[in-house]
Amino acid sequence: MLKIIERILLWLRGETLKLLIFAGILLIVWGITAPVGTLSWWLSTGTQALGFDINPTPDLIKNNFNLKNTGDKNCYIIFLPGVGDFSANELTPGEEIFLDNLATLHPQCAIVDDVFPYSAANKSLGAQRFLAPVWRFASQGQGWLKSADVLIKIRNLWRFAISADSRYGAVYNLGIANAIAERMNAASPINNTSEQPIKIILIGTSGGAQVSLGASEYLDKWLNTRLILVSVGGSFDGETGFNKVEKVYHLRGSRDWVEDVTKIIFADRWSWMISSPFIQAVRQGRYQVVETGSHTHDGVNGYFSIEMVDSTATTYVGLLLDIVNQLPIWDD
């Protein structure tokens, strides 16, 4: 399998037209087959095995996660990475710095960084039995073969699309919400009997913002919670989750053109769609855009880059961290 992939990449080398055609074919194939994994997960697991209904009772939630009244945290920071990630446990150095600093600055919050938002079953690409060698090859390529990581981005982009899809999104987002609640409980036992709502701060970068909004639909029903989304250059539709989150802070860099794409392709984001949940959130002041500076979407000038900003002593991720810490979300 790896030899076949390498031959294809050799054939594509230096041929822009061939690369575009090949990427187009991959997009079509993945678009046709992308829902299969989600539906397979659903058929093999289902709501009964998960212990969830659409409107579960508090006892059902308690039994499903073995909830106790011993958790010392009433705040959770959920980090969902972008479409370029191979798994939840392979954070970039900048992402690790960002989360380590948040953990130090906000000890009242438990950090959850082991949810992979591009798998309904929360399995990394390396855990897939058949295609695991392909994904490892794409993620570990060196030199000109490093461009093979576009395969991972295309694959994950389709999972982003499923999350926003009215046909398959409910099932996919259910799986992600289940993974989030499970990992929250593992980080610090969830106390769902307290009268004080649990604060859940979802930090989604790129496609992770859409998946965060999708999961919010279920987290809002399962738990007594305050849901806040911090979108870091996030991409999202204008329908999913906006009626469930208390506040959305959309952080964007001045050189990030990628986050502008979803403003065009999702009609619910258009300003004249006055009945859409997104436009309603904008009008109600629940959606706020925060400029972060000269960030690009990714790369050496990206939000989580450890490179210095111009000649200053601040890194790009340090600049992002300062802005996130200034958001009015940390004090009750």
Side-chain angles (χ1 to χ4, degrees), residues 135-156:
W135 303 130
R136 290 196 185 95
F137 171 80
S139 67
Q140 297 171 3
Q142 300 296 323
W144 66 269
L145 286 175
K146 189 172 178 60
S147 60
D149 65 357
V150 72
L151 299 176
I152 293 175
K153 293 180 180 179
I154 293 174
R155 183 264 180 204
N156 290 345

Side-chain angles (χ1 to χ4, degrees), residues 9-25:
L9 291 173
L10 283 169
W11 176 70
L12 292 171
R13 187 179 183 183
E15 297 281 351
T16 303
L17 180 59
K18 290 180 182 179
L19 180 61
L20 291 174
I21 293 173
F22 183 63
I25 293 172

Side-chain angles (χ1 to χ4, degrees), residues 54-325:
I54 294 300
N55 295 294
T57 65
D59 287 340
L60 189 59
I61 297 298
K62 184 175 181 180
N63 293 336
N64 192 69
F65 288 117
N66 191 27
L67 303 187
K68 303 175 182 178
N69 296 330
T70 58
D72 60 349
K73 306 287 186 181
N74 200 45
C75 168
Y76 294 83
I77 298 173
I78 317 297
F79 182 75
L80 298 183
V83 296
D85 280 46
F86 178 81
S87 67
N89 59 359
E90 291 191 5
L91 299 175
T92 66
E95 290 170 341
E96 290 181 348
I97 291 171
F98 177 75
L99 293 174
D100 287 345
N101 275 273
L102 285 183
T104 301
L105 293 168
H106 307 287
Q108 77 277 17
C109 297
I111 304 291
V112 178
D113 59 1
D114 52 358
V115 175
F116 185 52
Y118 308 106
S119 167
N122 196 28
K123 292 183 178 180
S124 71
L125 301 187
Q128 296 184 6
R129 185 176 303 175
F130 178 67
L131 290 176
V134 176
W135 303 130
R136 290 196 185 95
F137 171 80
S139 67
Q140 297 171 3
Q142 300 296 323
W144 66 269
L145 286 175
K146 189 172 178 60
S147 60
D149 65 357
V150 72
L151 299 176
I152 293 175
K153 293 180 180 179
I154 293 174
R155 183 264 180 204
N156 290 345
L157 273 172
W158 276 114
R159 270 55 186 183
F160 156 83
I162 291 174
S163 177
D165 191 284
S166 59
R167 298 164 297 175
Y168 310 109
V171 174
Y172 187 85
N173 295 328
L174 169 65
I176 300 299
N178 180 67
I180 288 175
E182 179 184 1
R183 302 318 302 161
M184 283 173 56
N185 196 53
S188 179
I190 301 172
N191 182 0
N192 201 39
T193 61
S194 173
E195 294 182 0
Q196 181 181 2
I198 301 167
K199 182 191 293 183
I200 300 179
I201 301 171
L202 296 151
I203 301 180
T205 175
S206 188
Q210 170 63 44
V211 181
S212 296
L213 286 165
S216 297
E217 299 270 358
Y218 294 97
L219 295 173
D220 177 69
K221 294 173 181 176
W222 296 344
L223 302 169
N224 177 24
T225 182
R226 293 176 55 205
L227 291 163
I228 299 167
L229 172 62
V230 178
S231 163
V232 182
S235 300
F236 45 85
D237 67 5
E239 178 72 26
T240 311
F242 275 95
N243 289 331
K244 305 300 181 183
V245 292
E246 178 181 303
K247 189 86 174 185
V248 176
Y249 295 93
H250 179 56
L251 279 54
R252 69 179 183 190
S254 60
R255 293 187 288 166
D256 181 2
W257 60 267
V258 176
E259 64 92 24
D260 289 327
V261 174
T262 46
K263 298 177 185 177
I264 301 171
I265 64 175
F266 289 115
D268 288 321
R269 297 278 302 274
W270 300 347
S271 59
W272 58 85
M273 302 294 287
I274 58 176
S275 63
S276 80
F278 170 75
I279 298 300
Q280 290 298 311
V282 172
R283 293 190 169 191
Q284 295 166 6
R286 295 188 295 108
Y287 176 85
Q288 180 179 339
V289 176
V290 180
E291 302 292 343
T292 65
S294 59
H295 290 108
T296 56
H297 193 72
D298 51 20
V300 295
N301 307 124
Y303 298 100
F304 297 97
S305 171
I306 58 177
E307 298 294 325
M308 295 294 179
V309 180
D310 297 327
S311 59
T312 67
T314 303
T315 61
Y316 284 96
V317 67
L319 179 61
L320 174 67
L321 182 66
D322 289 342
I323 292 170
V324 171
N325 281 322

